Structure formats: structure tokens, C-alpha cells
Amino acid sequence: VENNFNFIELGPKGTGKSHIFQELSPYGVLVSGGDVTSPRLFVRMSGKKEELGLVGYWDVVTWDEFEQQKGRNVDAVLIDTMQNYLANKSFNRGKGTHEASASMAFVGNTKHAVPYMLKNSHLFESIPSSFIKGAFLDRLHLYNPGWEIRMLKKDSFSKGYGLISDYLAAVLHAMRNDDRTSVLKDYAKFDGSLSERDHLAIRKTFSGMMKLIYPDGNMTDQEARELVDFAAEGRKRVKDQLYVIDETFKAEPAKFEYSWIRTGEIVKVETLENLE
């Protein structure tokens, strides 16, 4: 529902990570992480003709079982091109610069419990080592905590009426043209220590969640605050791990707090795993 959104979810098996991206919408494609190459994803040459890869045809490209690529050699060109695309919505391949609006999602399983990861490594420990570097991870807008999601069981599904998935997918596809990132400033002002990437990540998550939950734009202050907190927490989870993985980020630490515009209240944001 949001253009150029960079998302990652890592967590236990059986929570429906792959199922959602594979079954919900015909506008998204699920690919095995081990089968992704730079030509397939971005641009491939067909004779003298350049043909756009997956990012030119889909709303979202999802890397499935991302953790299974760990230990394999990943093409350096793929990582460099990916970093440029995640940051700038464009990439240089072939003879020119290409732009695309496809969002990028990475889903995979964790191998250890959260307390173990926080004590002994970090929350990105299960992904390929080639991707565990600040330049790549800093471009992620949201780290969704898969360990907070229940495993899919029979009682997880509604027994009542619902929308046909193709209809819902068409609605979400159309809403990608509706940019609501500017709405955030009407509710919250974040601390100046946040980087521009922090601000962008929070704005884009807020915009996407607002379109999903409150498509008509009507929401109470409490409902808006829940979206702000969710967006900020998802980005803070990324930033907290960057401090562990790349010490250069510690030079300018971000203070994740905001002022609620209508009351002036200062709200501090913290991830659930750090509170427990």
C-alpha cells in the first residue's frame, strides 16, 4: 500500500510471513532469497535491449526465507545496487539510471529467542552476513517483530464474511498513489537528533498504516498516537541494532521521543523487548 517501503520481519516459523505476501495480492511476488540475482531483480540485457527486472513490474518484491542465504556468497553488485535502490528509488544498471516504485520486503526465521540474541549478538543475526552492515540496514524503514505474532492456527481465521482478496488487493494497489507522509506533522514532532532516514522511515510507516487502518483519514488522537508509536518503534528497533553492529552510529545517537502537537506532551518511544 506504500511505494518504496523497505520492510523486514524476522521471527519464529509458522506465523504466516510468506503466506501473506504470496496469497494476499497478485501485485506482489515472492522469491527465494537464494534465487535473487542483480539482473533478475533490476535490469537484464537482452541483446542490446535493457529489460527491467522484478522491481519494474511488481508493487512489492519479497525475499522469502532470507535466512537460508546465510553462508552463501552474495554478489557484491547486487548488494551495492540494492543499497542505492532502497535509498534513492533508483539504480544504475546497463547504460542509464532507472527508477521504480516497488517496495522491498525481507522475511525469514530466527534461530534463537529474543533474550539470547540481545545478550549474545543482535536481532539481525540470522540474515546473510553480507547484508549485516550499517549501510544496508540503515535503509530499512521498519523491523516488524515476528516473535510478537501468534502462530497461524484454525482459530486465527475469521468465520464471518470478508472481502475477496483480489478486490482488497486492487484497493491497496490503487492507494499506493495516495501519499500521506505529510500528515504525521499534524500530530507529532520528533526530536532533532533523528537522522533524515529515521524521519523518512517513520513518516512512511505512519502513511502506510493510516491507509490500511483508517483509509478515510478519520481517526482519534489516541488512534493516531498508536500509529506514531508503532512507526517509531519499528524504526528504533533497526537503529538499536545498528549501534551494536556498526559503532560509527554511536557517534550521533538518536533520541526517539516526540512532542504531541495538540498538547505539547513529550512521549518517549521504546521497543517492547527492551522493556521486558
Side-chain angles (χ1 to χ4, degrees), residues 48-93:
K48 295 183 178 181
K49 184 180 179 181
E50 296 180 359
E51 296 182 354
L52 273 179
L54 297 176
V55 296
Y57 295 96
W58 301 94
D59 285 357
V60 58
V61 178
T62 303
W63 295 44
D64 189 27
E65 298 180 337
F66 193 38
E67 83 287 352
Q68 291 193 12
Q69 213 178 11
K70 194 172 184 67
R72 301 179 183 178
N73 291 324
V74 181
D75 183 7
V77 174
L78 171 61
I79 297 178
D80 290 342
T81 308
M82 172 73 72
Q83 287 180 184
N84 193 47
Y85 177 70
L86 295 182
N88 305 314
K89 311 174 190 176
S90 63
F91 52 93
N92 298 313
R93 292 290 292 165

Short mmCIF file of all heavy atoms in Angstrom, two decimals, residues 48-93:
data_model
loop_
_atom_site.label_atom_id
_atom_site.label_comp_id
_atom_site.label_asym_id
_atom_site.label_seq_id
_atom_site.Cartn_x
_atom_site.Cartn_y
_atom_site.Cartn_z
N LYS A 48 20.97 -5.97 -27.26
CA LYS A 48 21.31 -4.58 -26.96
C LYS A 48 20.19 -3.88 -26.18
O LYS A 48 20.29 -2.69 -25.88
CB LYS A 48 21.57 -3.81 -28.26
CG LYS A 48 22.80 -4.31 -29.02
CD LYS A 48 23.04 -3.47 -30.26
CE LYS A 48 24.28 -3.94 -31.00
NZ LYS A 48 24.55 -3.11 -32.21
N LYS A 49 19.16 -4.62 -25.87
CA LYS A 49 17.99 -4.05 -25.19
C LYS A 49 18.05 -4.30 -23.69
O LYS A 49 18.38 -5.39 -23.24
CB LYS A 49 16.71 -4.66 -25.77
CG LYS A 49 15.43 -4.07 -25.22
CD LYS A 49 14.22 -4.73 -25.86
CE LYS A 49 12.92 -4.17 -25.29
NZ LYS A 49 11.73 -4.83 -25.89
N GLU A 50 17.72 -3.27 -22.92
CA GLU A 50 17.67 -3.39 -21.47
C GLU A 50 16.24 -3.71 -21.04
O GLU A 50 15.30 -3.03 -21.45
CB GLU A 50 18.13 -2.09 -20.79
CG GLU A 50 19.58 -1.74 -21.06
CD GLU A 50 19.98 -0.44 -20.38
OE1 GLU A 50 19.12 0.16 -19.72
OE2 GLU A 50 21.14 -0.04 -20.51
N GLU A 51 16.08 -4.74 -20.24
CA GLU A 51 14.75 -5.11 -19.75
C GLU A 51 14.73 -5.00 -18.23
O GLU A 51 15.57 -5.57 -17.54
CB GLU A 51 14.42 -6.55 -20.16
CG GLU A 51 14.30 -6.74 -21.67
CD GLU A 51 13.93 -8.16 -22.04
OE1 GLU A 51 13.88 -9.01 -21.11
OE2 GLU A 51 13.69 -8.43 -23.23
N LEU A 52 13.75 -4.24 -17.72
CA LEU A 52 13.63 -4.08 -16.28
C LEU A 52 13.33 -5.41 -15.61
O LEU A 52 12.60 -6.25 -16.15
CB LEU A 52 12.52 -3.09 -15.94
CG LEU A 52 12.89 -1.60 -15.90
CD1 LEU A 52 11.66 -0.77 -15.58
CD2 LEU A 52 13.98 -1.34 -14.88
N GLY A 53 13.89 -5.60 -14.43
CA GLY A 53 13.65 -6.81 -13.68
C GLY A 53 12.40 -6.71 -12.82
O GLY A 53 11.48 -5.93 -13.11
N LEU A 54 12.37 -7.46 -11.74
CA LEU A 54 11.17 -7.57 -10.91
C LEU A 54 10.69 -6.23 -10.36
O LEU A 54 9.49 -6.00 -10.24
CB LEU A 54 11.45 -8.53 -9.75
CG LEU A 54 11.77 -9.99 -10.13
CD1 LEU A 54 12.13 -10.79 -8.88
CD2 LEU A 54 10.61 -10.63 -10.86
N VAL A 55 11.61 -5.34 -10.00
CA VAL A 55 11.19 -4.07 -9.39
C VAL A 55 10.40 -3.19 -10.35
O VAL A 55 9.72 -2.26 -9.93
CB VAL A 55 12.41 -3.28 -8.86
CG1 VAL A 55 13.10 -4.03 -7.74
CG2 VAL A 55 13.38 -2.92 -9.97
N GLY A 56 10.49 -3.49 -11.64
CA GLY A 56 9.77 -2.69 -12.62
C GLY A 56 8.35 -3.17 -12.89
O GLY A 56 7.59 -2.48 -13.58
N TYR A 57 7.97 -4.33 -12.31
CA TYR A 57 6.67 -4.91 -12.65
C TYR A 57 5.78 -5.19 -11.44
O TYR A 57 4.58 -5.42 -11.61
CB TYR A 57 6.89 -6.22 -13.41
CG TYR A 57 7.55 -6.02 -14.75
CD1 TYR A 57 8.93 -6.16 -14.91
CD2 TYR A 57 6.80 -5.64 -15.87
CE1 TYR A 57 9.54 -5.96 -16.14
CE2 TYR A 57 7.41 -5.43 -17.10
CZ TYR A 57 8.77 -5.59 -17.23
OH TYR A 57 9.38 -5.38 -18.44
N TRP A 58 6.33 -5.19 -10.25
CA TRP A 58 5.55 -5.58 -9.07
C TRP A 58 5.47 -4.45 -8.06
O TRP A 58 6.35 -3.59 -7.99
CB TRP A 58 6.18 -6.81 -8.41
CG TRP A 58 6.27 -8.00 -9.32
CD1 TRP A 58 7.34 -8.36 -10.09
CD2 TRP A 58 5.25 -8.96 -9.58
NE1 TRP A 58 7.06 -9.49 -10.81
CE2 TRP A 58 5.77 -9.88 -10.52
CE3 TRP A 58 3.95 -9.13 -9.11
CZ2 TRP A 58 5.04 -10.97 -10.99
CZ3 TRP A 58 3.21 -10.22 -9.58
CH2 TRP A 58 3.76 -11.12 -10.51
N ASP A 59 4.40 -4.47 -7.25
CA ASP A 59 4.27 -3.48 -6.18
C ASP A 59 5.24 -3.77 -5.05
O ASP A 59 5.74 -2.85 -4.39
CB ASP A 59 2.84 -3.49 -5.61
CG ASP A 59 1.84 -2.81 -6.54
OD1 ASP A 59 2.27 -2.28 -7.59
OD2 ASP A 59 0.64 -2.82 -6.22
N VAL A 60 5.47 -5.04 -4.80
CA VAL A 60 6.41 -5.42 -3.74
C VAL A 60 7.13 -6.70 -4.14
O VAL A 60 6.53 -7.62 -4.70
CB VAL A 60 5.69 -5.62 -2.38
CG1 VAL A 60 4.60 -6.67 -2.49
CG2 VAL A 60 6.67 -5.99 -1.28
N VAL A 61 8.42 -6.72 -3.90
CA VAL A 61 9.24 -7.92 -4.12
C VAL A 61 9.65 -8.43 -2.74
O VAL A 61 10.30 -7.71 -1.97
CB VAL A 61 10.49 -7.61 -4.96
CG1 VAL A 61 11.34 -8.86 -5.12
CG2 VAL A 61 10.09 -7.05 -6.32
N THR A 62 9.26 -9.65 -2.43
CA THR A 62 9.54 -10.22 -1.11
C THR A 62 10.59 -11.30 -1.19
O THR A 62 10.45 -12.26 -1.94
CB THR A 62 8.26 -10.81 -0.49
OG1 THR A 62 7.25 -9.80 -0.42
CG2 THR A 62 8.54 -11.35 0.90
N TRP A 63 11.65 -11.13 -0.42
CA TRP A 63 12.70 -12.14 -0.32
C TRP A 63 12.27 -13.14 0.76
O TRP A 63 12.27 -12.82 1.95
CB TRP A 63 14.03 -11.51 0.08
CG TRP A 63 14.61 -10.57 -0.92
CD1 TRP A 63 13.95 -9.60 -1.63
CD2 TRP A 63 15.98 -10.48 -1.33
NE1 TRP A 63 14.82 -8.92 -2.44
CE2 TRP A 63 16.07 -9.44 -2.28
CE3 TRP A 63 17.13 -11.18 -0.97
CZ2 TRP A 63 17.27 -9.08 -2.87
CZ3 TRP A 63 18.33 -10.82 -1.56
CH2 TRP A 63 18.40 -9.78 -2.50
N ASP A 64 11.92 -14.33 0.34
CA ASP A 64 11.44 -15.34 1.28
C ASP A 64 12.60 -16.17 1.81
O ASP A 64 13.61 -16.36 1.12
CB ASP A 64 10.43 -16.25 0.57
CG ASP A 64 9.72 -17.20 1.52
OD1 ASP A 64 9.60 -16.85 2.71
OD2 ASP A 64 9.30 -18.28 1.08
N GLU A 65 12.43 -16.66 3.04
CA GLU A 65 13.46 -17.48 3.69
C GLU A 65 14.83 -16.81 3.56
O GLU A 65 15.83 -17.42 3.17
CB GLU A 65 13.48 -18.89 3.07
CG GLU A 65 12.17 -19.64 3.28
CD GLU A 65 12.18 -21.02 2.67
OE1 GLU A 65 12.98 -21.26 1.75
OE2 GLU A 65 11.40 -21.87 3.12
N PHE A 66 14.84 -15.54 3.90
CA PHE A 66 16.04 -14.72 3.76
C PHE A 66 17.22 -15.32 4.51
O PHE A 66 18.37 -15.23 4.09
CB PHE A 66 15.73 -13.31 4.27
CG PHE A 66 16.76 -12.27 3.92
CD1 PHE A 66 17.39 -12.26 2.69
CD2 PHE A 66 17.08 -11.27 4.83
CE1 PHE A 66 18.33 -11.29 2.37
CE2 PHE A 66 18.01 -10.30 4.52
CZ PHE A 66 18.64 -10.31 3.29
N GLU A 67 16.92 -15.97 5.64
CA GLU A 67 18.00 -16.51 6.48
C GLU A 67 18.71 -17.69 5.82
O GLU A 67 19.85 -18.00 6.15
CB GLU A 67 17.44 -16.93 7.84
CG GLU A 67 16.79 -18.31 7.90
CD GLU A 67 15.42 -18.38 7.22
OE1 GLU A 67 14.90 -17.32 6.83
OE2 GLU A 67 14.88 -19.49 7.08
N GLN A 68 18.06 -18.35 4.85
CA GLN A 68 18.67 -19.52 4.23
C GLN A 68 19.80 -19.16 3.26
O GLN A 68 20.50 -20.03 2.76
CB GLN A 68 17.61 -20.35 3.51
CG GLN A 68 16.64 -21.02 4.46
CD GLN A 68 15.78 -22.06 3.80
OE1 GLN A 68 16.04 -22.47 2.67
NE2 GLN A 68 14.75 -22.52 4.50
N GLN A 69 19.95 -17.87 3.02
CA GLN A 69 21.05 -17.43 2.17
C GLN A 69 22.34 -17.27 2.98
O GLN A 69 23.40 -17.05 2.43
CB GLN A 69 20.69 -16.08 1.52
CG GLN A 69 21.27 -15.90 0.14
CD GLN A 69 20.84 -14.59 -0.49
OE1 GLN A 69 20.29 -13.72 0.15
NE2 GLN A 69 21.11 -14.43 -1.76
N LYS A 70 22.22 -17.41 4.30
CA LYS A 70 23.38 -17.23 5.17
C LYS A 70 24.44 -18.27 4.83
O LYS A 70 24.16 -19.45 4.66
CB LYS A 70 22.97 -17.36 6.63
CG LYS A 70 24.02 -16.86 7.62
CD LYS A 70 23.46 -16.85 9.02
CE LYS A 70 24.45 -16.27 10.01
NZ LYS A 70 24.68 -14.84 9.80
N GLY A 71 25.67 -17.82 4.71
CA GLY A 71 26.77 -18.71 4.39
C GLY A 71 27.10 -18.76 2.91
O GLY A 71 28.16 -19.23 2.51
N ARG A 72 26.17 -18.26 2.07
CA ARG A 72 26.42 -18.24 0.64
C ARG A 72 27.11 -16.94 0.24
O ARG A 72 26.96 -15.91 0.89
CB ARG A 72 25.11 -18.36 -0.14
CG ARG A 72 24.31 -19.62 0.14
CD ARG A 72 23.03 -19.62 -0.67
NE ARG A 72 22.20 -20.79 -0.37
CZ ARG A 72 21.01 -21.00 -0.91
NH1 ARG A 72 20.52 -20.14 -1.78
NH2 ARG A 72 20.32 -22.08 -0.60
N ASN A 73 27.86 -17.00 -0.84
CA ASN A 73 28.48 -15.78 -1.35
C ASN A 73 27.43 -14.97 -2.11
O ASN A 73 26.78 -15.47 -3.03
CB ASN A 73 29.63 -16.14 -2.30
CG ASN A 73 30.80 -16.75 -1.55
OD1 ASN A 73 31.09 -16.37 -0.42
ND2 ASN A 73 31.48 -17.71 -2.19
N VAL A 74 27.25 -13.73 -1.70
CA VAL A 74 26.27 -12.86 -2.33
C VAL A 74 27.00 -11.89 -3.25
O VAL A 74 28.02 -11.30 -2.87
CB VAL A 74 25.46 -12.08 -1.28
CG1 VAL A 74 24.42 -11.20 -1.95
CG2 VAL A 74 24.78 -13.05 -0.32
N ASP A 75 26.48 -11.73 -4.45
CA ASP A 75 27.08 -10.85 -5.44
C ASP A 75 27.19 -9.43 -4.89
O ASP A 75 26.19 -8.83 -4.48
CB ASP A 75 26.21 -10.87 -6.70
CG ASP A 75 26.80 -10.03 -7.82
OD1 ASP A 75 27.94 -9.55 -7.67
OD2 ASP A 75 26.12 -9.85 -8.84
N ALA A 76 28.41 -8.90 -4.87
CA ALA A 76 28.63 -7.54 -4.35
C ALA A 76 27.87 -6.50 -5.16
O ALA A 76 27.41 -5.49 -4.62
CB ALA A 76 30.12 -7.23 -4.34
N VAL A 77 27.74 -6.74 -6.47
CA VAL A 77 27.00 -5.81 -7.33
C VAL A 77 25.53 -5.76 -6.91
O VAL A 77 24.91 -4.69 -6.89
CB VAL A 77 27.11 -6.23 -8.81
CG1 VAL A 77 26.22 -5.34 -9.69
CG2 VAL A 77 28.56 -6.14 -9.27
N LEU A 78 24.98 -6.92 -6.55
CA LEU A 78 23.59 -6.98 -6.10
C LEU A 78 23.39 -6.13 -4.85
O LEU A 78 22.44 -5.35 -4.75
CB LEU A 78 23.19 -8.43 -5.82
CG LEU A 78 21.83 -8.64 -5.15
CD1 LEU A 78 20.70 -8.10 -6.01
CD2 LEU A 78 21.61 -10.11 -4.83
N ILE A 79 24.29 -6.26 -3.89
CA ILE A 79 24.16 -5.52 -2.63
C ILE A 79 24.31 -4.02 -2.87
O ILE A 79 23.53 -3.22 -2.35
CB ILE A 79 25.20 -6.01 -1.61
CG1 ILE A 79 24.94 -7.48 -1.26
CG2 ILE A 79 25.15 -5.15 -0.35
CD1 ILE A 79 25.94 -8.08 -0.30
N ASP A 80 25.29 -3.63 -3.67
CA ASP A 80 25.50 -2.21 -3.96
C ASP A 80 24.31 -1.60 -4.68
O ASP A 80 23.87 -0.49 -4.36
CB ASP A 80 26.77 -2.01 -4.79
CG ASP A 80 28.04 -2.31 -4.01
OD1 ASP A 80 27.96 -2.32 -2.77
OD2 ASP A 80 29.09 -2.54 -4.64
N THR A 81 23.79 -2.33 -5.67
CA THR A 81 22.63 -1.84 -6.41
C THR A 81 21.41 -1.76 -5.51
O THR A 81 20.63 -0.81 -5.57
CB THR A 81 22.33 -2.76 -7.61
OG1 THR A 81 23.51 -2.93 -8.40
CG2 THR A 81 21.25 -2.16 -8.50
N MET A 82 21.26 -2.77 -4.65
CA MET A 82 20.15 -2.80 -3.71
C MET A 82 20.20 -1.60 -2.77
O MET A 82 19.19 -0.93 -2.53
CB MET A 82 20.19 -4.10 -2.91
CG MET A 82 19.20 -4.15 -1.76
SD MET A 82 17.51 -4.36 -2.31
CE MET A 82 17.58 -6.07 -2.83
N GLN A 83 21.37 -1.32 -2.22
CA GLN A 83 21.50 -0.19 -1.30
C GLN A 83 21.11 1.12 -1.97
O GLN A 83 20.42 1.95 -1.38
CB GLN A 83 22.95 -0.10 -0.79
CG GLN A 83 23.31 -1.18 0.20
CD GLN A 83 24.73 -1.08 0.70
OE1 GLN A 83 25.19 -1.93 1.46
NE2 GLN A 83 25.45 -0.06 0.29
N ASN A 84 21.53 1.29 -3.19
CA ASN A 84 21.21 2.52 -3.93
C ASN A 84 19.71 2.62 -4.17
O ASN A 84 19.10 3.68 -4.01
CB ASN A 84 21.96 2.54 -5.26
CG ASN A 84 21.92 3.91 -5.92
OD1 ASN A 84 22.16 4.93 -5.28
ND2 ASN A 84 21.60 3.94 -7.20
N TYR A 85 19.09 1.49 -4.51
CA TYR A 85 17.66 1.48 -4.78
C TYR A 85 16.85 1.75 -3.51
O TYR A 85 15.89 2.54 -3.52
CB TYR A 85 17.24 0.14 -5.38
CG TYR A 85 15.74 0.04 -5.63
CD1 TYR A 85 15.13 0.80 -6.62
CD2 TYR A 85 14.94 -0.78 -4.84
CE1 TYR A 85 13.76 0.74 -6.84
CE2 TYR A 85 13.58 -0.85 -5.04
CZ TYR A 85 12.99 -0.09 -6.04
OH TYR A 85 11.64 -0.15 -6.24
N LEU A 86 17.23 1.12 -2.41
CA LEU A 86 16.49 1.31 -1.16
C LEU A 86 16.55 2.76 -0.69
O LEU A 86 15.61 3.25 -0.06
CB LEU A 86 17.06 0.40 -0.07
CG LEU A 86 16.92 -1.12 -0.27
CD1 LEU A 86 17.48 -1.86 0.94
CD2 LEU A 86 15.47 -1.52 -0.50
N ALA A 87 17.64 3.43 -1.00
CA ALA A 87 17.80 4.81 -0.55
C ALA A 87 17.22 5.84 -1.51
O ALA A 87 16.64 6.84 -1.09
CB ALA A 87 19.28 5.11 -0.32
N ASN A 88 17.36 5.58 -2.81
CA ASN A 88 17.05 6.62 -3.80
C ASN A 88 15.91 6.28 -4.77
O ASN A 88 15.61 7.08 -5.65
CB ASN A 88 18.31 6.94 -4.62
CG ASN A 88 19.48 7.32 -3.74
OD1 ASN A 88 19.33 8.12 -2.82
ND2 ASN A 88 20.64 6.74 -4.01
N LYS A 89 15.33 5.08 -4.64
CA LYS A 89 14.26 4.64 -5.54
C LYS A 89 14.76 4.51 -6.98
O LYS A 89 13.97 4.47 -7.92
CB LYS A 89 13.07 5.60 -5.52
CG LYS A 89 12.58 5.98 -4.13
CD LYS A 89 11.50 7.04 -4.21
CE LYS A 89 11.16 7.60 -2.85
NZ LYS A 89 10.17 8.70 -2.92
N SER A 90 16.06 4.46 -7.16
CA SER A 90 16.63 4.35 -8.50
C SER A 90 17.91 3.52 -8.42
O SER A 90 18.44 3.25 -7.34
CB SER A 90 16.94 5.74 -9.07
OG SER A 90 17.92 6.40 -8.28
N PHE A 91 18.39 3.12 -9.59
CA PHE A 91 19.61 2.32 -9.64
C PHE A 91 20.27 2.50 -11.00
O PHE A 91 19.61 2.81 -12.00
CB PHE A 91 19.31 0.84 -9.38
CG PHE A 91 18.22 0.28 -10.26
CD1 PHE A 91 18.52 -0.34 -11.47
CD2 PHE A 91 16.89 0.38 -9.89
CE1 PHE A 91 17.53 -0.85 -12.28
CE2 PHE A 91 15.88 -0.12 -10.70
CZ PHE A 91 16.20 -0.74 -11.90
N ASN A 92 21.57 2.33 -11.02
CA ASN A 92 22.34 2.45 -12.25
C ASN A 92 22.74 1.07 -12.74
O ASN A 92 23.52 0.37 -12.10
CB ASN A 92 23.61 3.29 -12.02
CG ASN A 92 23.29 4.70 -11.60
OD1 ASN A 92 22.45 5.35 -12.20
ND2 ASN A 92 23.96 5.18 -10.56
N ARG A 93 22.16 0.67 -13.84
CA ARG A 93 22.49 -0.61 -14.45
C ARG A 93 22.41 -0.42 -15.96
O ARG A 93 21.59 0.36 -16.47
CB ARG A 93 21.52 -1.71 -14.03
CG ARG A 93 21.62 -2.10 -12.57
CD ARG A 93 22.90 -2.83 -12.26
NE ARG A 93 22.94 -4.15 -12.89
CZ ARG A 93 24.03 -4.87 -13.02
NH1 ARG A 93 25.18 -4.39 -12.60
NH2 ARG A 93 23.99 -6.05 -13.58
#
